[in-house]
Amino acid sequence: LLTEKKTISLPGCFLQMMFFYCLGTCTLFHMAVMSLDRFVAICHPLHYTAIMSNRFCLQLILSCWAVSFLLMFPPTIMTVQLPFCGPNVMNHFYCDASLLLQLSCTDTGLIEELMFVI
């Protein structure tokens, strides 16, 4: 956005899409972990320090990152393997999966269903 060049390469587009969806999914899992923390603090205040140890908190956060990456990796890889034909031009400022699927020359029904389920 800072340069005059208004294009992005296809690998850069896929990388941007992967980070966008992984970080968005990770945010949702972090909110779930925060709600678990508040639940334990309110409902079990005397057991809070025993339940929410530093090790358990670290495991929760690392599992958030791992699960979000594992959920978003298969649709991204499936999208990368699609053949693209015609003018690969999108009039948007970031690479969205639905726009990339529209640029593909093949049937993308399976990828769309996978993204919907996730």
Side-chain angles (χ1 to χ4, degrees), residues 12-102:
C13 184
F14 289 127
L15 188 65
Q16 182 186 40
M17 182 181 72
M18 179 72 175
F19 278 119
F20 180 76
Y21 287 121
C22 279
L23 293 175
T25 307
C26 195
T27 301
L28 295 175
F29 285 121
H30 281 152
M31 286 190 217
V33 167
M34 288 170 41
S35 67
L36 174 70
D37 177 63
R38 293 297 89 203
F39 170 77
V40 172
I42 293 169
C43 295
H44 305 287
L46 298 177
H47 297 292
Y48 179 78
T49 54
I51 296 171
M52 298 300 286
S53 65
N54 286 339
R55 179 184 166 113
F56 185 64
C57 289
L58 182 64
Q59 288 174 346
L60 286 172
I61 296 301
L62 291 178
S63 65
C64 287
W65 283 98
V67 169
S68 66
F69 179 77
L70 291 174
L71 279 176
M72 292 297 121
F73 193 68
T76 303
I77 292 301
M78 292 171 74
T79 306
V80 166
Q81 294 175 347
L82 290 174
F84 295 100
C85 57
N88 294 333
V89 177
M90 296 186 297
N91 293 324
H92 293 274
F93 62 93
Y94 76 98
C95 297
D96 189 28
S98 62
L99 297 171
L100 284 172
L101 293 178
Q102 289 176 358

Side-chain angles (χ1 to χ4, degrees), residues 1-13 90 92-93:
L1 292 175
L2 297 176
T3 64
E4 290 296 320
K5 184 179 173 185
K6 302 294 183 199
T7 61
I8 186 171
S9 66
L10 201 56
C13 184
M90 296 186 297
H92 293 274
F93 62 93

